């Protein structure tokens, strides 16, 4: 049996615990502190009830609810709390998985007979989290990870839902297919066009029909609603080898034509991409750079493949400058910036020139410092220019 | 201070008056690895802490900073304790009764 712990409006609940005056009020957690120039990173249940949700621009959210309260997201608080919750959950069982910053999974040996014990454990977990952080979670208990995650969503907030084998027929009959994590609007539409609308329909669909229409995903869909196979929570969680691309992007709080600022951001994004490349022991040959003006729907988007692969942030940055055009500047207002690398080869650690080996060793040392002392303890000085207004 | 870890969050708060960032004296209990601030002195006034509403830690370079949101009954402040220098700071005013209604 699996026990899926899903924190209720995690970021917003933490902010309400920090400032109890925000409790019971529509609260918007912005991804940045600039109230009207950012996106909703999280919303309290009171804000969600009005139609405000993550991903929406704050300008749009304040149109819906002008009196909503606003706080800027503080990732350190959320990560610390998440790690502390993980530590608490470690006391309840050894088979613990960190699903995401606000979701955790506990696996228990034994099957249906253990349900009462697991319900008791669930109540204790809820109490421990509430006592320590003054926030709530919803817990789902089921024979598979997928169904446990589904159960945790069915009784929110502060809920506890069990989907045992005997509850499955009733639950499947009443729920649409898109409640399963991994079935998005497009897959849902394709399933619906085959007459598969509810989980019951999906359960009754022959495997051959699903695989002939959806390939590998069809096989996953067939198993997802069964209890005899332990699948990852979503199809995309199944490891499929190395990534095809690694990229980072950023939307500035306001448009700028300052080349100093734009290139500082490209330098920062290049560094972030290169760090991830080195973590995966990869080097990229192809680099894609985009600079967009979201208002005028104008921009620059170009990619280039180089003969020599690299995982050096400085080199990626120089290549981005090359893509813009040597000695050329950017002469339009930019709001969004993105750097993506692809066309990977494995880093072999063999160098023709001594200078390359020296640079490689330097990067390894920098990575080692950042691992030991903390992410971004040492970084290129030009990145500092990103903090300029 | 530039904090690359919070690289997405570099804008100043809307109300810059809420940013206090001052060194202060704090009376606190240190017991079994737990820090409990009891009151702090700011601008020659002693502010009694009725409740610590939240606690979290963040590593900034080699330093570990412990943060406390504290309720004085009328206002909520953010205090921080640097576990390397043993210094306390009053970071900001989180909320005041005046703006909570």
């Amino acid at each position: 049996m699996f026990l899926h712990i899903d924190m209720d409006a995690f970021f917003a609940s933490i902010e309400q615990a920090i400032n109890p005056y925000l409790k019971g009020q529509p609260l918007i957690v912005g991804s940045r502190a600039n109230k009207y120039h950012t996106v909703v990173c999280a919303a309290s249940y009171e804000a969600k009830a009005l139609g405000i949700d993550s991903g929406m621009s704050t300008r749009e959210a304040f149109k819906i609810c002008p009196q909503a309260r606003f706080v800027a997201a503080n990732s350190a608080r959320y990560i610390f709390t998440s790690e502390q919750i993980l530590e608490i959950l470690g006391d309840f069982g050894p088979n613990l998985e960190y699903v995401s910053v606000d979701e955790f999974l506990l696996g228990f040996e034994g099957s249906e007979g253990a349900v009462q014990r697991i319900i008791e454990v669930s109540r204790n977990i809820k109490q421990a989290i509430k006592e320590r952080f003054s926030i709530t979670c919803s817990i789902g208990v089921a024979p598979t990870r997928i169904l446990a995650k589904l159960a945790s969503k069915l009784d929110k907030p502060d809920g506890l839902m069990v989907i045992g084998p005997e509850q499955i027929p009733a639950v499947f009959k009443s729920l649409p297919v898109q409640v399963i994590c991994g079935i998005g609007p497009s897959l849902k539409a394709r399933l619906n066009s085959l007459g598969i609308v509810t989980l019951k329909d999906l359960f009754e669909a022959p495997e051959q029909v699903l695989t002939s229409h959806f390939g590998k995903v069809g096989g996953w869909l067939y198993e997802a609603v069964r209890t005899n196979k332990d699948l990852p929570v979503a199809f995309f969680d199944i490891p499929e080898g190395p990534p095809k691309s690694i990229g980072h992007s950023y939307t500035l709080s306001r448009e700028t034509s300052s080349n100093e600022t734009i290139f500082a951001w490209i330098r920062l994004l290049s560094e972030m991409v290169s760090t991830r490349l080195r973590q995966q022991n990869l080097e990229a040959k192809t680099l894609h750079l985009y600079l967009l003006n979201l208002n005028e729907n104008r921009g620059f988007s170009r990619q280039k493949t180089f003969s020599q692969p690299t995982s050096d942030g400085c080199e990626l940055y120089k290549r981005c400058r090359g893509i813009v055009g040597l000695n050329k500047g950017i002469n339009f207002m930019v709001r969004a910036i993105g750097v993506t690398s692809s066309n990977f080869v494995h880093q072999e650690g063999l160098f023709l020139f001594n200078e390359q080996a020296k640079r490689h060793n330097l990067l390894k040392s920098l990575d080692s410092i950042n691992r030991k002392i903390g992410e971004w303890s040492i970084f290129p000085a030009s990145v500092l220019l990103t903090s300029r207004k | 201070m530039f904090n690359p870890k919070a690289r997405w969050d570099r804008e100043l708060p809307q109300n810059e008056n809420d940013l206090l960032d001052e060194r202060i004296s704090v009376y606190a209990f240190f017991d079994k690895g737990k820090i409990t601030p009891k009151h702090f002195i700011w601008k020659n006034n002693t502010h009694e802490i009725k409740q610590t509403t939240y606690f979290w830690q963040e590593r900034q370079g080699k330093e570990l900073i412990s943060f406390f949101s504290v309720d004085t009954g009328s206002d909520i402040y953010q205090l921080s304790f640097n576990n390397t220098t043993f210094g306390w700071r009053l970071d900001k005013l989180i909320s005041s009764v005046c703006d909570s209604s």
Side-chain angles (χ1 to χ4, degrees):
Chain A
M1 292 294 275
F2 290 93
L3 197 153
H4 190 102
I5 301 112
D6 190 349
M7 303 308 299
D8 298 324
F10 189 44
F11 299 173
S13 300
I14 290 175
E15 297 301 337
Q16 286 175 322
I18 287 170
N19 181 358
Y21 296 116
L22 297 175
K23 282 186 181 167
Q25 295 195 44
L27 172 68
I28 294 168
V29 181
S31 76
R32 285 199 301 267
N34 206 320
K35 193 172 174 180
Y36 297 106
H37 292 275
T38 186
V39 291
V40 178
C41 175
S44 66
Y45 279 97
E46 294 79 10
K48 283 181 182 180
L50 299 169
I52 296 170
D53 214 345
S54 314
M56 188 181 271
S57 80
T58 44
R59 202 175 280 273
E60 202 182 332
F62 280 112
K63 266 186 201 161
I64 295 172
C65 183
Q67 71 277 19
R69 305 295 300 270
F70 177 87
V71 291
N74 181 320
S75 56
R77 287 171 191 160
Y78 315 142
I79 292 168
F80 176 80
T81 308
S82 181
E83 288 170 353
Q84 294 288 301
I85 291 171
L86 190 72
E87 207 173 299
I88 290 174
L89 294 175
D91 293 339
F92 289 92
N95 303 319
L96 176 61
E97 288 175 30
Y98 191 80
V99 181
S100 69
V101 71
D102 61 349
E103 290 179 53
F104 313 86
L105 192 88
L106 266 168
F108 286 92
E109 300 287 333
S111 54
E112 293 79 56
V115 167
Q116 276 312 315
R117 184 173 61 86
I118 295 171
I119 290 173
E120 195 54 41
V121 168
S122 303
R123 289 200 180 110
N124 292 339
I125 287 173
K126 286 167 74 70
Q127 193 184 343
I129 291 174
K130 197 165 188 176
E131 271 177 11
R132 175 79 181 272
F133 303 105
S134 305
I135 58 177
T136 61
C137 63
S138 296
I139 297 183
V141 179
T144 68
R145 290 155 203 265
I146 292 173
L147 294 179
K149 183 180 170 77
L150 169 63
S152 71
K153 306 274 181 206
L154 295 180
D155 186 22
K156 265 184 163 296
D158 203 13
L160 171 56
M161 170 68 83
V162 181
I163 303 182
E166 60 278 13
Q167 287 93 16
I168 285 178
V171 170
F172 279 15
K173 202 173 173 183
S174 62
L175 292 174
V177 284
Q178 66 268 27
V179 294
I180 294 278
C181 178
I183 301 183
S186 126
L187 187 53
K188 177 212 159 202
R190 288 175 66 197
L191 284 164
N192 288 175
S193 71
L194 295 172
I196 300 170
V197 178
T198 64
L199 291 181
K200 181 174 175 277
D201 300 333
L202 185 60
F203 182 78
E204 288 168 356
E207 186 174 14
Q208 201 193 343
V209 170
L210 292 171
T211 48
S212 66
H213 281 88
F214 303 103
K216 278 186 193 170
V217 176
W220 177 82
L221 286 168
Y222 181 80
E223 298 291 354
V225 284
R226 277 161 178 77
T227 57
N228 54 355
K229 202 165 179 183
D230 182 24
L231 297 180
V233 164
F235 180 71
F236 45 76
D237 287 341
I238 300 170
E240 283 188 330
K244 291 189 172 58
S245 66
I246 291 176
H248 280 284
S249 59
Y250 188 74
T251 304
L252 302 171
S253 58
R254 53 181 65 83
E255 293 175 342
T256 181
S257 60
S258 157
N259 277 235
E260 192 182 60
T261 305
I262 295 167
F263 284 120
W265 275 104
I266 295 174
R267 181 70 182 91
L268 172 61
L269 295 170
S270 302
E271 200 61 28
M272 290 166 70
V273 170
S274 71
T275 304
R276 282 177 60 199
L277 283 169
R278 291 196 297 275
Q279 280 167 355
Q280 306 210 30
N281 210 26
L282 296 171
E283 290 187 325
K285 280 185 167 180
T286 302
L287 194 61
H288 177 238
L289 172 71
Y290 74 78
L291 305 164
L292 298 178
N293 179 315
L294 302 174
N295 291 334
E296 294 170 18
N297 209 12
R298 183 183 168 197
F300 170 98
S301 174
R302 206 166 290 168
Q303 76 171 34
K304 194 171 176 185
T305 298
F306 299 82
S307 57
Q308 292 299 313
T310 185
S311 60
D312 181 344
C314 185
E315 182 58 31
L316 288 176
Y317 170 69
K318 283 180 186 167
R319 290 180 182 188
C320 285
R321 297 281 316 227
I323 289 173
V324 171
L326 278 180
N327 304 320
K328 277 192 183 169
I330 293 148
N331 55 9
F332 61 93
M333 300 294 275
V334 171
R335 182 81 195 277
I337 304 167
V339 174
T340 304
S341 64
S342 57
N343 198 357
F344 298 137
V345 293
H346 274 281
Q347 212 282 320
E348 302 288 355
L350 297 170
F351 305 103
L352 190 58
F353 302 108
N354 198 24
E355 284 306 311
Q356 289 174 307
K358 275 187 178 174
R359 182 74 192 164
H360 176 76
N361 290 336
L362 172 65
L363 293 172
K364 267 175 72 176
S365 303
L366 296 177
D367 288 340
S368 151
I369 290 168
N370 282 326
R371 264 199 310 277
K372 190 170 178 184
I373 304 180
E375 187 194 21
W376 293 86
S377 297
I378 186 162
F379 55 88
S382 56
V383 162
L384 284 166
L385 296 174
T386 56
S387 58
R388 282 203 185 162
K389 292 250 177 181
Chain B
M1 191 182 98
F2 177 70
N3 176 6
K5 198 172 178 189
R7 56 187 174 271
W8 305 130
D9 189 27
R10 298 216 196 112
E11 305 289 338
L12 290 171
Q14 288 286 299
N15 185 357
E16 294 186 16
N17 294 331
D18 292 348
L19 261 191
L20 303 171
D21 196 24
E22 289 182 35
R23 278 186 68 173
I24 52 163
S25 297
V26 176
Y27 288 84
F29 288 144
F30 288 72
D31 186 32
K32 294 172 187 149
K34 193 179 171 199
I35 309 169
T36 311
K38 301 306 282 185
H39 60 261
F40 63 90
I41 300 167
W42 179 45
K43 290 185 175 167
N44 293 324
N45 289 319
T46 301
H47 298 259
E48 191 191 341
I49 295 169
K50 308 265 188 220
Q51 185 197 0
T52 297
T53 59
Y54 216 77
F55 165 79
W56 70 98
Q57 290 180 318
E58 183 181 349
R59 190 163 283 285
Q60 291 180 358
K62 63 179 182 179
E63 294 170 348
L64 181 68
I65 316 290
S66 298
F67 293 93
F68 304 82
S69 54
V70 297
D71 188 351
T72 59
S74 55
D75 301 307
I76 295 177
Y77 295 94
Q78 180 180 305
L79 310 181
S80 61
F81 175 72
N82 185 316
N83 292 28
T84 306
T85 64
F86 292 170
W88 284 92
R89 293 193 86 84
L90 176 58
D91 297 328
K92 61 180 177 182
L93 174 68
I94 294 176
S95 175
S96 174
V97 164
C98 311
D99 61 28
S100 62
S101 53

Tab-separated table of all heavy atoms in Angstrom, chain A residues 96-122:
chain	number	residue	atom	x	y	z
A	96	LEU	N	10.481	5.771	1.954
A	96	LEU	CA	10.031	7.145	1.760
A	96	LEU	C	10.584	7.701	0.454
A	96	LEU	O	11.764	7.524	0.145
A	96	LEU	CB	10.513	7.983	2.952
A	96	LEU	CG	10.251	9.467	2.947
A	96	LEU	CD1	8.756	9.763	2.915
A	96	LEU	CD2	10.871	10.106	4.180
A	97	GLU	N	9.733	8.359	-0.316
A	97	GLU	CA	10.182	8.972	-1.575
A	97	GLU	C	9.819	10.449	-1.583
A	97	GLU	O	8.738	10.832	-1.155
A	97	GLU	CB	9.502	8.304	-2.778
A	97	GLU	CG	10.012	6.909	-3.053
A	97	GLU	CD	9.240	6.236	-4.174
A	97	GLU	OE1	8.755	6.948	-5.088
A	97	GLU	OE2	9.112	5.005	-4.124
A	98	TYR	N	10.747	11.244	-2.100
A	98	TYR	CA	10.542	12.679	-2.239
A	98	TYR	C	10.000	12.905	-3.647
A	98	TYR	O	10.742	12.847	-4.615
A	98	TYR	CB	11.885	13.366	-2.040
A	98	TYR	CG	11.834	14.856	-1.892
A	98	TYR	CD1	11.485	15.435	-0.683
A	98	TYR	CD2	12.161	15.693	-2.941
A	98	TYR	CE1	11.452	16.804	-0.529
A	98	TYR	CE2	12.138	17.069	-2.796
A	98	TYR	CZ	11.788	17.616	-1.585
A	98	TYR	OH	11.767	18.991	-1.436
A	99	VAL	N	8.693	13.104	-3.779
A	99	VAL	CA	8.082	13.236	-5.106
A	99	VAL	C	8.333	14.637	-5.657
A	99	VAL	O	8.746	14.809	-6.798
A	99	VAL	CB	6.564	12.936	-5.046
A	99	VAL	CG1	5.936	13.054	-6.434
A	99	VAL	CG2	6.315	11.542	-4.476
A	100	SER	N	8.085	15.649	-4.841
A	100	SER	CA	8.370	17.035	-5.239
A	100	SER	C	8.427	17.857	-3.957
A	100	SER	O	8.257	17.321	-2.863
A	100	SER	CB	7.285	17.568	-6.177
A	100	SER	OG	6.084	17.734	-5.464
A	101	VAL	N	8.600	19.163	-4.109
A	101	VAL	CA	8.775	20.008	-2.921
A	101	VAL	C	7.571	19.901	-1.972
A	101	VAL	O	7.724	20.011	-0.750
A	101	VAL	CB	9.073	21.473	-3.331
A	101	VAL	CG1	7.845	22.152	-3.912
A	101	VAL	CG2	9.631	22.291	-2.192
A	102	ASP	N	6.382	19.616	-2.520
A	102	ASP	CA	5.195	19.548	-1.651
A	102	ASP	C	4.476	18.204	-1.719
A	102	ASP	O	3.308	18.114	-1.364
A	102	ASP	CB	4.223	20.693	-1.972
A	102	ASP	CG	3.719	20.656	-3.401
A	102	ASP	OD1	4.276	19.886	-4.195
A	102	ASP	OD2	2.773	21.394	-3.725
A	103	GLU	N	5.162	17.182	-2.186
A	103	GLU	CA	4.540	15.855	-2.246
A	103	GLU	C	5.536	14.786	-1.823
A	103	GLU	O	6.708	14.824	-2.216
A	103	GLU	CB	4.054	15.548	-3.671
A	103	GLU	CG	2.874	16.371	-4.103
A	103	GLU	CD	2.448	16.055	-5.529
A	103	GLU	OE1	2.219	14.878	-5.832
A	103	GLU	OE2	2.372	16.994	-6.317
A	104	PHE	N	5.035	13.839	-1.056
A	104	PHE	CA	5.894	12.774	-0.524
A	104	PHE	C	5.129	11.453	-0.611
A	104	PHE	O	3.900	11.439	-0.576
A	104	PHE	CB	6.264	13.047	0.934
A	104	PHE	CG	6.731	14.459	1.173
A	104	PHE	CD1	5.815	15.482	1.436
A	104	PHE	CD2	8.066	14.789	1.110
A	104	PHE	CE1	6.217	16.791	1.627
A	104	PHE	CE2	8.493	16.093	1.302
A	104	PHE	CZ	7.566	17.095	1.571
A	105	LEU	N	5.871	10.372	-0.681
A	105	LEU	CA	5.223	9.070	-0.805
A	105	LEU	C	5.857	8.089	0.186
A	105	LEU	O	7.080	7.998	0.286
A	105	LEU	CB	5.425	8.543	-2.233
A	105	LEU	CG	4.567	7.351	-2.603
A	105	LEU	CD1	3.223	7.834	-3.151
A	105	LEU	CD2	5.247	6.513	-3.667
A	106	LEU	N	4.995	7.387	0.911
A	106	LEU	CA	5.477	6.356	1.839
A	106	LEU	C	4.917	5.013	1.384
A	106	LEU	O	3.716	4.895	1.123
A	106	LEU	CB	4.968	6.640	3.253
A	106	LEU	CG	5.857	7.419	4.201
A	106	LEU	CD1	5.056	7.847	5.426
A	106	LEU	CD2	7.070	6.619	4.648
A	107	GLY	N	5.774	4.037	1.270
A	107	GLY	CA	5.326	2.701	0.886
A	107	GLY	C	5.275	1.800	2.111
A	107	GLY	O	6.135	1.884	2.990
A	108	PHE	N	4.228	0.971	2.188
A	108	PHE	CA	4.104	0.051	3.325
A	108	PHE	C	3.977	-1.385	2.842
A	108	PHE	O	3.265	-1.659	1.869
A	108	PHE	CB	2.875	0.406	4.175
A	108	PHE	CG	3.084	1.633	5.002
A	108	PHE	CD1	2.729	2.876	4.522
A	108	PHE	CD2	3.674	1.546	6.247
A	108	PHE	CE1	2.937	4.020	5.273
A	108	PHE	CE2	3.890	2.681	7.013
A	108	PHE	CZ	3.519	3.919	6.522
A	109	GLU	N	4.686	-2.266	3.518
A	109	GLU	CA	4.568	-3.698	3.225
A	109	GLU	C	3.173	-4.144	3.657
A	109	GLU	O	2.556	-3.536	4.520
A	109	GLU	CB	5.610	-4.495	4.022
A	109	GLU	CG	7.048	-4.110	3.740
A	109	GLU	CD	7.542	-4.586	2.392
A	109	GLU	OE1	7.005	-5.598	1.910
A	109	GLU	OE2	8.416	-3.922	1.812
A	110	GLY	N	2.733	-5.219	3.052
A	110	GLY	CA	1.417	-5.746	3.439
A	110	GLY	C	0.347	-5.135	2.571
A	110	GLY	O	0.566	-4.103	1.928
A	111	SER	N	-0.795	-5.754	2.554
A	111	SER	CA	-1.826	-5.260	1.640
A	111	SER	C	-3.043	-4.748	2.403
A	111	SER	O	-2.911	-4.003	3.368
A	111	SER	CB	-2.202	-6.362	0.661
A	111	SER	OG	-2.561	-7.528	1.379
A	112	GLU	N	-4.209	-5.189	1.990
A	112	GLU	CA	-5.447	-4.609	2.496
A	112	GLU	C	-5.586	-4.687	4.021
A	112	GLU	O	-6.141	-3.810	4.646
A	112	GLU	CB	-6.666	-5.280	1.840
A	112	GLU	CG	-6.796	-5.008	0.347
A	112	GLU	CD	-5.873	-5.872	-0.485
A	112	GLU	OE1	-5.970	-7.102	-0.349
A	112	GLU	OE2	-5.048	-5.341	-1.219
A	113	GLY	N	-5.081	-5.782	4.579
A	113	GLY	CA	-5.211	-5.974	6.024
A	113	GLY	C	-4.545	-4.864	6.823
A	113	GLY	O	-4.893	-4.613	7.982
A	114	ALA	N	-3.591	-4.208	6.180
A	114	ALA	CA	-2.826	-3.181	6.898
A	114	ALA	C	-3.485	-1.814	6.810
A	114	ALA	O	-2.958	-0.841	7.353
A	114	ALA	CB	-1.428	-3.124	6.321
A	115	VAL	N	-4.633	-1.718	6.136
A	115	VAL	CA	-5.237	-0.408	5.874
A	115	VAL	C	-5.505	0.377	7.160
A	115	VAL	O	-5.179	1.560	7.252
A	115	VAL	CB	-6.541	-0.559	5.039
A	115	VAL	CG1	-7.330	0.733	5.023
A	115	VAL	CG2	-6.209	-0.963	3.621
A	116	GLN	N	-6.066	-0.307	8.167
A	116	GLN	CA	-6.380	0.398	9.413
A	116	GLN	C	-5.127	0.995	10.042
A	116	GLN	O	-5.132	2.129	10.525
A	116	GLN	CB	-7.071	-0.559	10.409
A	116	GLN	CG	-8.574	-0.675	10.190
A	116	GLN	CD	-9.265	0.683	10.035
A	116	GLN	OE1	-9.025	1.627	10.780
A	116	GLN	NE2	-10.115	0.789	9.017
A	117	ARG	N	-4.035	0.214	10.000
A	117	ARG	CA	-2.776	0.694	10.574
A	117	ARG	C	-2.281	1.918	9.778
A	117	ARG	O	-1.814	2.908	10.340
A	117	ARG	CB	-1.729	-0.431	10.529
A	117	ARG	CG	-0.408	-0.082	11.186
A	117	ARG	CD	0.500	-1.293	11.246
A	117	ARG	NE	0.845	-1.833	9.938
A	117	ARG	CZ	1.874	-1.394	9.199
A	117	ARG	NH1	2.645	-0.428	9.656
A	117	ARG	NH2	2.137	-1.935	8.047
A	118	ILE	N	-2.425	1.849	8.453
A	118	ILE	CA	-1.945	2.950	7.606
A	118	ILE	C	-2.794	4.209	7.820
A	118	ILE	O	-2.274	5.326	7.814
A	118	ILE	CB	-1.927	2.514	6.117
A	118	ILE	CG1	-0.898	1.388	5.939
A	118	ILE	CG2	-1.587	3.670	5.196
A	118	ILE	CD1	-0.919	0.711	4.597
A	119	ILE	N	-4.082	4.018	8.044
A	119	ILE	CA	-4.948	5.178	8.322
A	119	ILE	C	-4.505	5.849	9.632
A	119	ILE	O	-4.422	7.072	9.734
A	119	ILE	CB	-6.434	4.751	8.383
A	119	ILE	CG1	-6.911	4.363	6.975
A	119	ILE	CG2	-7.312	5.849	8.955
A	119	ILE	CD1	-8.298	3.769	6.924
A	120	GLU	N	-4.167	5.022	10.592
A	120	GLU	CA	-3.697	5.543	11.882
A	120	GLU	C	-2.390	6.327	11.682
A	120	GLU	O	-2.229	7.429	12.225
A	120	GLU	CB	-3.470	4.353	12.850
A	120	GLU	CG	-3.319	4.724	14.304
A	120	GLU	CD	-4.473	5.579	14.834
A	120	GLU	OE1	-5.626	5.302	14.501
A	120	GLU	OE2	-4.167	6.548	15.577
A	121	VAL	N	-1.497	5.750	10.875
A	121	VAL	CA	-0.221	6.430	10.569
A	121	VAL	C	-0.513	7.766	9.879
A	121	VAL	O	0.095	8.793	10.205
A	121	VAL	CB	0.665	5.524	9.663
A	121	VAL	CG1	1.840	6.311	9.083
A	121	VAL	CG2	1.173	4.320	10.440
A	122	SER	N	-1.468	7.746	8.950
A	122	SER	CA	-1.811	8.979	8.210
A	122	SER	C	-2.269	10.069	9.171
A	122	SER	O	-1.865	11.234	9.043
A	122	SER	CB	-2.930	8.706	7.207
A	122	SER	OG	-2.555	7.686	6.331
